[in-house]
Amino acid sequence: MPGMQIPFDHPSLSRIVDDLATHGWSQQTLFLPESLTRALAAECRKRAAEGELAPAGVGRGPAQEVREGIRGDHIQWLEPGEADACDRYLELMDSLREAMNRGLFLGLEDFECHFALYPPGAFYRKHLDRFRDDDRRTVSAVIYLNEDWLPEHGGQLRMSLKGDVERDVQPTGGCLVVFLSGEVPHEVLPAHRERLSLTGWFRRRGNEPF
Ligand code: OGA
Ligand code: MN
């Protein structure tokens, strides 16, 4: 796909590393070229139309269950080799992983991510991304895929930062948010129109219990 080439030395990578070191989170408003954001959104909608997205569960392993009172999004995990746009995104996340390992010595080994579609009215209550019984998730990364998102559409990511500070991010197409999975509680406010994203986690080796 022409016009979708992303330089390996994406200028945001070092800013994200610096932000994580000083604040524990980072927001990059125009992280992806528009063509790639559009291609990812189209891929997400196609999968939704084909019935490939399923209601997300809460918790992990055998104890996982769907609880719409906690989270109402529908998801599908990404695998390499499924779509050109997805592979571009995975490559870019791999260069971010390497930049974080070089700059922060995090020892991140892999990246897992899923498409997420919030139907109108859906939300995700306040939570931490690191599971109590599995501490591999170290850095969370969410890229938003919504064109023309307005504040009245809701669906903001609300992060609870140190010192009781709350910070809202609009889920506007091409915007990337990165934060430390074990340290930043966050929630997704009710979205009043369909809200698309690609949400992922950089993981290090850990004490996987199952
Ligand atoms: C999650 C999550 C945030 C967002 O999927 O764990 O918190 O803004 N997503 O979509
Ligand atoms: Mn989360």
Side-chain angles (χ1 to χ4, degrees):
M1 243 178 265
M4 286 189 11
Q5 260 68 20
I6 297 156
F8 176 73
D9 58 345
H10 191 299
S12 287
L13 299 186
S14 60
R15 279 187 245 132
I16 293 170
V17 170
D18 289 350
D19 286 347
L20 282 176
T22 45
H23 308 295
W25 73 283
S26 181
Q27 173 182 2
Q28 303 296 320
T29 353
L30 277 175
F31 185 73
L32 291 187
E34 256 178 63
S35 56
L36 182 50
T37 303
R38 266 200 303 271
L40 290 169
E43 181 67 22
C44 182
R45 281 202 197 88
K46 186 183 105 190
R47 292 175 183 214
E50 288 169 354
E52 291 178 8
L53 272 56
V58 173
R60 71 178 292 282
Q64 197 184 59
E65 50 182 348
V66 172
R67 291 176 64 185
E68 281 173 16
I70 296 181
R71 73 182 288 194
D73 57 331
H74 294 216
I75 67 166
Q76 190 193 30
W77 292 94
L78 245 68
E79 298 294 339
E82 293 171 338
D84 197 38
C86 296
D87 288 351
R88 300 262 174 182
Y89 185 69
L90 291 175
E91 276 167 31
L92 188 53
M93 288 298 104
D94 210 55
S95 49
L96 176 56
R97 185 181 64 80
E98 284 171 358
M100 291 190 290
N101 282 347
R102 276 194 308 269
L104 303 167
F105 307 104
L106 287 178
L108 303 170
E109 293 196 317
D110 67 6
F111 178 70
E112 55 172 12
C113 73
H114 61 58
F115 279 116
L117 183 153
Y118 288 70
F123 52 83
Y124 193 161
R125 294 251 188 259
K126 192 163 168 178
H127 64 279
L128 269 181
D129 284 346
R130 179 173 285 177
F131 299 112
R132 263 183 297 257
D133 60 354
D134 176 354
D135 64 0
R136 286 176 299 166
R137 285 182 172 181
T138 303
V139 178
S140 306
V142 190
I143 185 90
Y144 298 107
L145 307 175
N146 308 294
E147 263 179 62
D148 305 321
W149 194 272
L150 298 172
E152 53 264 40
H153 295 140
Q156 288 81 10
L157 168 69
R158 176 165 290 171
M159 288 178 287
S160 304
L161 303 171
K162 294 213 172 70
D164 261 351
V165 175
E166 283 188 340
R167 190 58 193 256
D168 286 358
V169 174
Q170 304 293 334
T172 310
C175 174
L176 178 77
V177 179
V178 181
F179 54 87
L180 298 176
S181 307
E183 289 180 24
V184 181
H186 57 281
E187 64 190 301
V188 177
L189 302 184
H192 308 305
R193 57 173 261 213
E194 190 174 87
R195 176 194 195 268
L196 307 180
S197 65
L198 198 41
T199 302
W201 296 273
F202 296 93
R203 303 189 303 180
R204 57 186 167 205
R205 188 177 299 137
N207 56 347
E208 192 190 5
F210 304 115

